[in-house]
Amino acid sequence: MSYQLYRQTTVGLALQESLDELFKYGQITPQLALKVILQFDKSINAALSNRVKARVTFKAAKLNTYRFCDNVWTLMLNDVEFREVHEFAKVDKVKIVACDGKNAIISDMENDKR
């Protein structure tokens, strides 16, 4: 199971727009567009899991709301400070969506065996 969260990023939306346009002009089938978007889900999750080595810490003045549903945490934070070695940023509001990556990797391996 690959998470579909990254479809709403700039690159995910651009891919979806491109696929829609290709379909509109009859250059690809809906089935091919779906295969491409599913491969995007797998690839972006794998790349972020395996290639990103940077560590960032954050501290929030207030946890506004939180929710845990279907193994997904959603946190709404106010007045958040982010720190990486020599970098610092402060923002008013942050929404964090966190998924259990270990379960996703196991599910992907099980799906690939079928």
Side-chain angles (χ1 to χ4, degrees), residues 4-16 40 44 48:
Q4 301 174 2
L5 299 169
Y6 303 105
R7 290 184 188 184
Q8 298 304 311
T9 62
T10 303
V11 70
L13 293 171
L15 175 62
Q16 187 63 54
F40 170 78
I44 196 80
L48 291 172

Side-chain angles (χ1 to χ4, degrees), residues 13-77:
L13 293 171
L15 175 62
Q16 187 63 54
E17 268 184 44
S18 298
L19 293 171
D20 289 346
E21 191 171 320
L22 289 169
F23 171 70
K24 178 180 169 184
Y25 291 110
Q27 295 180 329
I28 64 171
T29 64
Q31 293 82 6
L32 180 57
L34 180 60
K35 280 186 179 183
V36 170
I37 225 49
L38 292 174
Q39 183 59 52
F40 170 78
D41 292 340
K42 284 185 179 183
S43 297
I44 196 80
N45 281 282
L48 291 172
S49 175
N50 299 327
R51 296 183 183 181
V52 176
K53 302 296 181 208
R55 299 265 181 197
V56 175
T57 60
F58 64 92
K59 179 171 66 171
K62 181 181 179 189
L63 172 61
N64 196 13
T65 60
Y66 64 93
R67 176 178 56 213
F68 181 71
C69 182
D70 296 332
N71 285 334
V72 177
W73 279 101
T74 304
L75 309 167
M76 301 296 287
L77 307 170

Side-chain angles (χ1 to χ4, degrees), residues 55-61 79-92:
R55 299 265 181 197
V56 175
T57 60
F58 64 92
K59 179 171 66 171
D79 300 321
V80 184
E81 296 178 359
F82 289 92
R83 291 186 187 273
E84 186 192 16
V85 183
H86 299 291
E87 300 286 326
F88 173 81
K90 188 170 183 172
V91 293
D92 295 333

